[in-house]
Amino acid sequence: MEEALRAYGAGRIDGLDGSRDTAQAEDPATGADYRRGFLDGRLEVFRMFAGVRDLLRGDD
């Protein structure tokens, strides 16, 4: 379980950074957890930029 959480965390950090580690993503044991974390990190960045766009437009 700890390995899965570490892989998820690493994927989330990489997702926030915008750089994917292909070796970790393809790991048979923890690749799915890494990819899920990566996707969550990318979604967080998308939501942050959407919020900034809303602020700049004056949307509530």
Side-chain angles (χ1 to χ4, degrees):
M1 180 68 160
E2 276 189 44
E3 288 180 23
L5 291 174
R6 264 190 243 119
Y8 175 86
R12 187 170 174 280
I13 289 170
D14 287 352
L16 291 170
D17 188 41
S19 61
R20 188 172 187 218
D21 184 346
T22 308
Q24 271 194 295
E26 294 176 358
D27 185 275
T30 58
D33 299 305
Y34 175 86
R35 290 188 303 272
R36 191 169 295 118
F38 183 86
L39 178 60
D40 285 348
R42 294 309 300 158
L43 287 172
E44 189 171 331
V45 169
F46 176 80
R47 288 181 185 127
M48 179 192 65
F49 282 136
V52 169
R53 282 191 300 270
D54 289 345
L55 285 171
L56 291 175
R57 280 190 302 227
D59 294 347
D60 290 325

